[in-house]
mmCIF file of all heavy atoms in Angstrom:
data_model
loop_
_atom_site.group_PDB
_atom_site.id
_atom_site.type_symbol
_atom_site.label_atom_id
_atom_site.label_comp_id
_atom_site.label_asym_id
_atom_site.label_seq_id
_atom_site.Cartn_x
_atom_site.Cartn_y
_atom_site.Cartn_z
ATOM 1 N N PRO I 1279 16.662 13.595 7.405
ATOM 2 C CA PRO I 1279 16.395 13.068 8.750
ATOM 3 C C PRO I 1279 17.571 12.192 9.169
ATOM 4 O O PRO I 1279 18.320 11.699 8.322
ATOM 5 C CB PRO I 1279 15.115 12.240 8.553
ATOM 6 C CG PRO I 1279 15.107 11.895 7.097
ATOM 7 C CD PRO I 1279 15.721 13.077 6.404
ATOM 8 N N ASP I 1280 17.743 11.981 10.455
ATOM 9 C CA ASP I 1280 18.878 11.184 10.925
ATOM 10 C C ASP I 1280 18.870 9.795 10.312
ATOM 11 O O ASP I 1280 19.909 9.289 9.877
ATOM 12 C CB ASP I 1280 18.851 11.077 12.450
ATOM 13 C CG ASP I 1280 19.112 12.419 13.112
ATOM 14 O OD1 ASP I 1280 20.211 12.954 12.918
ATOM 15 O OD2 ASP I 1280 18.216 12.919 13.811
ATOM 16 N N THR I 1281 17.696 9.148 10.305
ATOM 17 C CA THR I 1281 17.547 7.847 9.672
ATOM 18 C C THR I 1281 16.266 7.831 8.856
ATOM 19 O O THR I 1281 15.374 8.684 9.045
ATOM 20 C CB THR I 1281 17.502 6.688 10.689
ATOM 21 O OG1 THR I 1281 16.384 6.856 11.552
ATOM 22 C CG2 THR I 1281 18.774 6.626 11.521
ATOM 23 N N TYR I 1282 16.170 6.866 7.974
ATOM 24 C CA TYR I 1282 14.963 6.708 7.170
ATOM 25 C C TYR I 1282 14.797 5.233 6.830
ATOM 26 O O TYR I 1282 15.719 4.425 6.972
ATOM 27 C CB TYR I 1282 15.043 7.525 5.885
ATOM 28 C CG TYR I 1282 15.887 6.850 4.800
ATOM 29 C CD1 TYR I 1282 15.285 6.144 3.772
ATOM 30 C CD2 TYR I 1282 17.274 6.896 4.848
ATOM 31 C CE1 TYR I 1282 16.050 5.492 2.812
ATOM 32 C CE2 TYR I 1282 18.042 6.268 3.898
ATOM 33 C CZ TYR I 1282 17.426 5.548 2.870
ATOM 34 O OH TYR I 1282 18.195 4.901 1.934
ATOM 35 N N LYS I 1283 13.624 4.879 6.392
ATOM 36 C CA LYS I 1283 13.431 3.587 5.760
ATOM 37 C C LYS I 1283 12.419 3.751 4.637
ATOM 38 O O LYS I 1283 11.352 4.339 4.827
ATOM 39 C CB LYS I 1283 12.922 2.511 6.729
ATOM 40 C CG LYS I 1283 12.823 1.152 6.005
ATOM 41 C CD LYS I 1283 12.485 -0.007 6.907
ATOM 42 C CE LYS I 1283 12.496 -1.290 6.059
ATOM 43 N NZ LYS I 1283 12.124 -2.484 6.857
ATOM 44 N N ALA I 1284 12.763 3.243 3.469
ATOM 45 C CA ALA I 1284 11.833 3.144 2.342
ATOM 46 C C ALA I 1284 11.449 1.690 2.251
ATOM 47 O O ALA I 1284 12.294 0.836 2.002
ATOM 48 C CB ALA I 1284 12.511 3.619 1.051
ATOM 49 N N GLN I 1285 10.176 1.377 2.491
ATOM 50 C CA GLN I 1285 9.763 -0.011 2.495
ATOM 51 C C GLN I 1285 8.631 -0.249 1.504
ATOM 52 O O GLN I 1285 7.855 0.645 1.178
ATOM 53 C CB GLN I 1285 9.349 -0.444 3.900
ATOM 54 C CG GLN I 1285 8.160 0.300 4.468
ATOM 55 C CD GLN I 1285 7.935 -0.089 5.925
ATOM 56 O OE1 GLN I 1285 8.668 0.335 6.822
ATOM 57 N NE2 GLN I 1285 6.905 -0.887 6.164
ATOM 58 N N LEU I 1286 8.578 -1.471 1.022
ATOM 59 C CA LEU I 1286 7.588 -1.868 0.036
ATOM 60 C C LEU I 1286 6.197 -1.834 0.649
ATOM 61 O O LEU I 1286 5.990 -2.301 1.764
ATOM 62 C CB LEU I 1286 7.926 -3.273 -0.457
ATOM 63 C CG LEU I 1286 7.172 -3.835 -1.655
ATOM 64 C CD1 LEU I 1286 7.477 -3.010 -2.904
ATOM 65 C CD2 LEU I 1286 7.564 -5.290 -1.884
ATOM 66 N N TRP I 1287 5.259 -1.245 -0.086
ATOM 67 C CA TRP I 1287 3.869 -1.245 0.389
ATOM 68 C C TRP I 1287 3.390 -2.677 0.539
ATOM 69 O O TRP I 1287 3.630 -3.536 -0.308
ATOM 70 C CB TRP I 1287 2.972 -0.512 -0.603
ATOM 71 C CG TRP I 1287 1.503 -0.614 -0.257
ATOM 72 C CD1 TRP I 1287 0.930 -0.261 0.918
ATOM 73 C CD2 TRP I 1287 0.454 -1.146 -1.083
ATOM 74 N NE1 TRP I 1287 -0.436 -0.527 0.888
ATOM 75 C CE2 TRP I 1287 -0.739 -1.059 -0.328
ATOM 76 C CE3 TRP I 1287 0.403 -1.652 -2.376
ATOM 77 C CZ2 TRP I 1287 -1.980 -1.475 -0.833
ATOM 78 C CZ3 TRP I 1287 -0.817 -2.070 -2.887
ATOM 79 C CH2 TRP I 1287 -1.981 -1.994 -2.122
ATOM 80 N N TYR I 1288 2.720 -2.947 1.663
ATOM 81 C CA TYR I 1288 2.154 -4.256 1.960
ATOM 82 C C TYR I 1288 0.655 -4.185 1.753
ATOM 83 O O TYR I 1288 -0.041 -3.445 2.432
ATOM 84 C CB TYR I 1288 2.483 -4.651 3.399
ATOM 85 C CG TYR I 1288 2.080 -6.065 3.751
ATOM 86 C CD1 TYR I 1288 2.951 -7.134 3.492
ATOM 87 C CD2 TYR I 1288 0.852 -6.342 4.330
ATOM 88 C CE1 TYR I 1288 2.595 -8.429 3.816
ATOM 89 C CE2 TYR I 1288 0.488 -7.645 4.665
ATOM 90 C CZ TYR I 1288 1.374 -8.684 4.389
ATOM 91 O OH TYR I 1288 1.005 -9.975 4.716
ATOM 92 N N ALA I 1289 0.147 -4.934 0.787
ATOM 93 C CA ALA I 1289 -1.281 -4.916 0.452
ATOM 94 C C ALA I 1289 -2.045 -5.769 1.452
ATOM 95 O O ALA I 1289 -2.129 -6.988 1.312
ATOM 96 C CB ALA I 1289 -1.489 -5.418 -0.970
ATOM 97 N N GLU I 1290 -2.583 -5.101 2.473
ATOM 98 C CA GLU I 1290 -3.298 -5.799 3.540
ATOM 99 C C GLU I 1290 -4.802 -5.797 3.230
ATOM 100 O O GLU I 1290 -5.363 -4.774 2.812
ATOM 101 C CB GLU I 1290 -3.036 -5.099 4.870
ATOM 102 C CG GLU I 1290 -3.520 -5.866 6.067
ATOM 103 C CD GLU I 1290 -3.130 -5.164 7.366
ATOM 104 O OE1 GLU I 1290 -2.289 -4.251 7.335
ATOM 105 O OE2 GLU I 1290 -3.693 -5.528 8.415
ATOM 106 N N THR I 1291 -5.431 -6.906 3.457
ATOM 107 C CA THR I 1291 -6.826 -7.100 3.046
ATOM 108 C C THR I 1291 -7.787 -6.107 3.668
ATOM 109 O O THR I 1291 -8.564 -5.447 2.991
ATOM 110 C CB THR I 1291 -7.284 -8.533 3.384
ATOM 111 O OG1 THR I 1291 -6.392 -9.451 2.762
ATOM 112 C CG2 THR I 1291 -8.693 -8.777 2.870
ATOM 113 N N ASN I 1292 -7.736 -5.951 4.975
ATOM 114 C CA ASN I 1292 -8.748 -5.185 5.697
ATOM 115 C C ASN I 1292 -8.356 -3.724 5.865
ATOM 116 O O ASN I 1292 -8.359 -3.174 6.960
ATOM 117 C CB ASN I 1292 -9.002 -5.836 7.057
ATOM 118 C CG ASN I 1292 -10.255 -5.334 7.722
ATOM 119 O OD1 ASN I 1292 -11.218 -5.008 7.033
ATOM 120 N ND2 ASN I 1292 -10.264 -5.266 9.042
ATOM 121 N N THR I 1293 -7.996 -3.074 4.743
ATOM 122 C CA THR I 1293 -7.601 -1.669 4.783
ATOM 123 C C THR I 1293 -8.531 -0.855 3.870
ATOM 124 O O THR I 1293 -9.115 -1.393 2.916
ATOM 125 C CB THR I 1293 -6.145 -1.486 4.312
ATOM 126 O OG1 THR I 1293 -5.962 -2.132 3.053
ATOM 127 C CG2 THR I 1293 -5.176 -2.086 5.313
ATOM 128 N N PRO I 1294 -8.694 0.445 4.144
ATOM 129 C CA PRO I 1294 -9.624 1.263 3.349
ATOM 130 C C PRO I 1294 -9.359 1.247 1.848
ATOM 131 O O PRO I 1294 -10.299 1.281 1.055
ATOM 132 C CB PRO I 1294 -9.420 2.667 3.936
ATOM 133 C CG PRO I 1294 -9.039 2.423 5.361
ATOM 134 C CD PRO I 1294 -8.184 1.189 5.312
ATOM 135 N N VAL I 1295 -8.080 1.178 1.440
ATOM 136 C CA VAL I 1295 -7.791 1.231 0.006
ATOM 137 C C VAL I 1295 -8.401 0.044 -0.741
ATOM 138 O O VAL I 1295 -8.706 0.126 -1.932
ATOM 139 C CB VAL I 1295 -6.260 1.305 -0.238
ATOM 140 C CG1 VAL I 1295 -5.590 -0.038 0.115
ATOM 141 C CG2 VAL I 1295 -5.946 1.692 -1.675
ATOM 142 N N MET I 1296 -8.592 -1.079 -0.036
ATOM 143 C CA MET I 1296 -9.156 -2.257 -0.675
ATOM 144 C C MET I 1296 -10.590 -2.068 -1.132
ATOM 145 O O MET I 1296 -11.107 -2.834 -1.947
ATOM 146 C CB MET I 1296 -9.047 -3.466 0.246
ATOM 147 C CG MET I 1296 -7.622 -3.963 0.458
ATOM 148 S SD MET I 1296 -6.877 -4.452 -1.108
ATOM 149 C CE MET I 1296 -5.221 -4.914 -0.577
ATOM 150 N N GLN I 1297 -11.264 -1.043 -0.604
ATOM 151 C CA GLN I 1297 -12.614 -0.734 -1.056
ATOM 152 C C GLN I 1297 -12.612 -0.213 -2.493
ATOM 153 O O GLN I 1297 -13.663 -0.200 -3.145
ATOM 154 C CB GLN I 1297 -13.250 0.280 -0.115
ATOM 155 C CG GLN I 1297 -13.412 -0.230 1.322
ATOM 156 C CD GLN I 1297 -13.919 0.845 2.258
ATOM 157 O OE1 GLN I 1297 -14.341 1.931 1.834
ATOM 158 N NE2 GLN I 1297 -13.884 0.560 3.564
ATOM 159 N N LYS I 1298 -11.445 0.243 -2.963
ATOM 160 C CA LYS I 1298 -11.317 0.732 -4.336
ATOM 161 C C LYS I 1298 -10.528 -0.244 -5.216
ATOM 162 O O LYS I 1298 -9.928 0.137 -6.211
ATOM 163 C CB LYS I 1298 -10.616 2.085 -4.339
ATOM 164 C CG LYS I 1298 -11.345 3.168 -3.560
ATOM 165 C CD LYS I 1298 -10.563 4.488 -3.621
ATOM 166 C CE LYS I 1298 -11.309 5.593 -2.883
ATOM 167 N NZ LYS I 1298 -10.541 6.875 -2.935
ATOM 168 N N LYS I 1299 -10.501 -1.500 -4.813
ATOM 169 C CA LYS I 1299 -9.689 -2.501 -5.469
ATOM 170 C C LYS I 1299 -9.944 -2.575 -6.969
ATOM 171 O O LYS I 1299 -9.008 -2.590 -7.779
ATOM 172 C CB LYS I 1299 -9.964 -3.859 -4.813
ATOM 173 C CG LYS I 1299 -9.060 -4.979 -5.251
ATOM 174 C CD LYS I 1299 -9.332 -6.231 -4.424
ATOM 175 C CE LYS I 1299 -8.404 -7.360 -4.846
ATOM 176 N NZ LYS I 1299 -8.650 -8.580 -4.046
ATOM 177 N N ASP I 1300 -11.198 -2.640 -7.361
ATOM 178 C CA ASP I 1300 -11.515 -2.753 -8.791
ATOM 179 C C ASP I 1300 -11.158 -1.485 -9.542
ATOM 180 O O ASP I 1300 -10.585 -1.541 -10.646
ATOM 181 C CB ASP I 1300 -13.010 -3.065 -8.956
ATOM 182 C CG ASP I 1300 -13.391 -4.428 -8.418
ATOM 183 O OD1 ASP I 1300 -12.485 -5.290 -8.327
ATOM 184 O OD2 ASP I 1300 -14.571 -4.634 -8.079
ATOM 185 N N GLU I 1301 -11.458 -0.338 -8.955
ATOM 186 C CA GLU I 1301 -11.152 0.942 -9.580
ATOM 187 C C GLU I 1301 -9.650 1.093 -9.812
ATOM 188 O O GLU I 1301 -9.207 1.641 -10.847
ATOM 189 C CB GLU I 1301 -11.661 2.069 -8.685
ATOM 190 C CG GLU I 1301 -11.302 3.465 -9.145
ATOM 191 C CD GLU I 1301 -11.670 4.514 -8.114
ATOM 192 O OE1 GLU I 1301 -12.532 4.240 -7.264
ATOM 193 O OE2 GLU I 1301 -11.066 5.607 -8.146
ATOM 194 N N LEU I 1302 -8.837 0.602 -8.879
ATOM 195 C CA LEU I 1302 -7.373 0.733 -8.963
ATOM 196 C C LEU I 1302 -6.713 -0.415 -9.714
ATOM 197 O O LEU I 1302 -5.498 -0.443 -9.853
ATOM 198 C CB LEU I 1302 -6.780 0.822 -7.547
ATOM 199 C CG LEU I 1302 -7.261 1.996 -6.691
ATOM 200 C CD1 LEU I 1302 -6.766 1.834 -5.259
ATOM 201 C CD2 LEU I 1302 -6.790 3.315 -7.271
ATOM 202 N N ARG I 1303 -7.537 -1.360 -10.166
ATOM 203 C CA ARG I 1303 -7.061 -2.585 -10.837
ATOM 204 C C ARG I 1303 -6.014 -3.285 -9.963
ATOM 205 O O ARG I 1303 -4.962 -3.715 -10.437
ATOM 206 C CB ARG I 1303 -6.500 -2.279 -12.226
ATOM 207 C CG ARG I 1303 -7.510 -1.622 -13.160
ATOM 208 C CD ARG I 1303 -7.110 -1.707 -14.627
ATOM 209 N NE ARG I 1303 -5.850 -1.034 -14.931
ATOM 210 C CZ ARG I 1303 -5.741 0.259 -15.178
ATOM 211 N NH1 ARG I 1303 -6.801 1.040 -15.148
ATOM 212 N NH2 ARG I 1303 -4.573 0.791 -15.487
ATOM 213 N N LEU I 1304 -6.316 -3.357 -8.695
ATOM 214 C CA LEU I 1304 -5.412 -3.923 -7.718
ATOM 215 C C LEU I 1304 -5.562 -5.442 -7.648
ATOM 216 O O LEU I 1304 -6.658 -5.967 -7.415
ATOM 217 C CB LEU I 1304 -5.682 -3.301 -6.352
ATOM 218 C CG LEU I 1304 -4.861 -3.797 -5.152
ATOM 219 C CD1 LEU I 1304 -3.381 -3.668 -5.399
ATOM 220 C CD2 LEU I 1304 -5.264 -3.012 -3.903
ATOM 221 N N LYS I 1305 -4.474 -6.128 -7.851
ATOM 222 C CA LYS I 1305 -4.457 -7.586 -7.795
ATOM 223 C C LYS I 1305 -3.333 -8.038 -6.847
ATOM 224 O O LYS I 1305 -2.326 -7.358 -6.705
ATOM 225 C CB LYS I 1305 -4.230 -8.178 -9.184
ATOM 226 C CG LYS I 1305 -5.296 -7.824 -10.198
ATOM 227 C CD LYS I 1305 -4.976 -8.405 -11.569
ATOM 228 C CE LYS I 1305 -6.056 -8.029 -12.583
ATOM 229 N NZ LYS I 1305 -5.737 -8.563 -13.930
ATOM 230 N N GLY I 1306 -3.535 -9.220 -6.240
ATOM 231 C CA GLY I 1306 -2.538 -9.761 -5.331
ATOM 232 C C GLY I 1306 -2.712 -9.247 -3.916
ATOM 233 O O GLY I 1306 -3.648 -8.510 -3.604
ATOM 234 N N PHE I 1307 -1.788 -9.635 -3.049
ATOM 235 C CA PHE I 1307 -1.829 -9.218 -1.645
ATOM 236 C C PHE I 1307 -0.433 -9.349 -1.065
ATOM 237 O O PHE I 1307 0.491 -9.872 -1.691
ATOM 238 C CB PHE I 1307 -2.840 -10.070 -0.856
ATOM 239 C CG PHE I 1307 -2.502 -11.539 -0.836
ATOM 240 C CD1 PHE I 1307 -1.727 -12.082 0.170
ATOM 241 C CD2 PHE I 1307 -2.958 -12.371 -1.840
ATOM 242 C CE1 PHE I 1307 -1.401 -13.429 0.182
ATOM 243 C CE2 PHE I 1307 -2.633 -13.727 -1.850
ATOM 244 C CZ PHE I 1307 -1.858 -14.261 -0.836
ATOM 245 N N GLY I 1308 -0.282 -8.861 0.175
ATOM 246 C CA GLY I 1308 1.020 -8.920 0.831
ATOM 247 C C GLY I 1308 2.050 -8.128 0.064
ATOM 248 O O GLY I 1308 1.807 -6.980 -0.350
ATOM 249 N N PHE I 1309 3.217 -8.738 -0.171
ATOM 250 C CA PHE I 1309 4.294 -8.089 -0.908
ATOM 251 C C PHE I 1309 4.271 -8.417 -2.400
ATOM 252 O O PHE I 1309 5.190 -8.058 -3.129
ATOM 253 C CB PHE I 1309 5.644 -8.509 -0.336
ATOM 254 C CG PHE I 1309 6.000 -7.859 0.981
ATOM 255 C CD1 PHE I 1309 6.290 -8.628 2.093
ATOM 256 C CD2 PHE I 1309 6.033 -6.477 1.099
ATOM 257 C CE1 PHE I 1309 6.631 -8.028 3.296
ATOM 258 C CE2 PHE I 1309 6.366 -5.871 2.295
ATOM 259 C CZ PHE I 1309 6.661 -6.658 3.400
ATOM 260 N N ASN I 1310 3.236 -9.117 -2.852
ATOM 261 C CA ASN I 1310 3.140 -9.497 -4.267
ATOM 262 C C ASN I 1310 1.863 -8.925 -4.849
ATOM 263 O O ASN I 1310 0.774 -9.460 -4.664
ATOM 264 C CB ASN I 1310 3.160 -11.026 -4.386
ATOM 265 C CG ASN I 1310 3.183 -11.483 -5.841
ATOM 266 O OD1 ASN I 1310 3.556 -10.737 -6.724
ATOM 267 N ND2 ASN I 1310 2.754 -12.709 -6.063
ATOM 268 N N TRP I 1311 1.962 -7.812 -5.581
ATOM 269 C CA TRP I 1311 0.776 -7.112 -6.048
ATOM 270 C C TRP I 1311 1.060 -6.330 -7.338
ATOM 271 O O TRP I 1311 2.217 -6.125 -7.721
ATOM 272 C CB TRP I 1311 0.267 -6.140 -4.967
ATOM 273 C CG TRP I 1311 1.347 -5.299 -4.340
ATOM 274 C CD1 TRP I 1311 1.961 -5.512 -3.152
ATOM 275 C CD2 TRP I 1311 1.982 -4.122 -4.897
ATOM 276 N NE1 TRP I 1311 2.905 -4.560 -2.912
ATOM 277 C CE2 TRP I 1311 2.952 -3.693 -3.960
ATOM 278 C CE3 TRP I 1311 1.820 -3.400 -6.074
ATOM 279 C CZ2 TRP I 1311 3.750 -2.573 -4.192
ATOM 280 C CZ3 TRP I 1311 2.612 -2.288 -6.309
ATOM 281 C CH2 TRP I 1311 3.571 -1.874 -5.368
ATOM 282 N N SER I 1312 0.000 -5.891 -7.956
ATOM 283 C CA SER I 1312 0.098 -4.949 -9.080
ATOM 284 C C SER I 1312 -1.165 -4.075 -9.048
ATOM 285 O O SER I 1312 -2.206 -4.495 -8.551
ATOM 286 C CB SER I 1312 0.190 -5.691 -10.416
ATOM 287 O OG SER I 1312 -0.994 -6.418 -10.673
ATOM 288 N N HIS I 1313 -1.024 -2.850 -9.556
ATOM 289 C CA HIS I 1313 -2.191 -1.979 -9.680
ATOM 290 C C HIS I 1313 -2.023 -1.075 -10.886
ATOM 291 O O HIS I 1313 -1.126 -1.324 -11.726
ATOM 292 C CB HIS I 1313 -2.426 -1.175 -8.385
ATOM 293 C CG HIS I 1313 -1.227 -0.423 -7.872
ATOM 294 N ND1 HIS I 1313 -0.619 0.604 -8.544
ATOM 295 C CD2 HIS I 1313 -0.511 -0.579 -6.720
ATOM 296 C CE1 HIS I 1313 0.387 1.083 -7.851
ATOM 297 N NE2 HIS I 1313 0.495 0.371 -6.731
#
């Protein structure tokens, strides 16, 4: 593509993936997280 951006996933609280937080072993929020 002419341009691209690869950006760090931002762990936002009110998003569908957070419903699986425990299953994904997701900890942290914003730009500071682990799963």
Side-chain angles (χ1 to χ4, degrees):
D1280 293 297
T1281 61
Y1282 79 99
K1283 184 173 183 182
Q1285 62 187 74
L1286 190 64
W1287 173 56
Y1288 187 86
E1290 190 176 346
T1291 304
N1292 195 31
T1293 52
V1295 70
M1296 290 300 178
Q1297 297 174 11
K1298 299 180 179 180
K1299 188 174 181 179
D1300 294 337
E1301 175 188 338
L1302 299 172
R1303 301 198 299 276
L1304 178 56
K1305 299 178 181 179
F1307 61 92
F1309 284 124
N1310 185 20
W1311 46 260
S1312 65
H1313 52 65

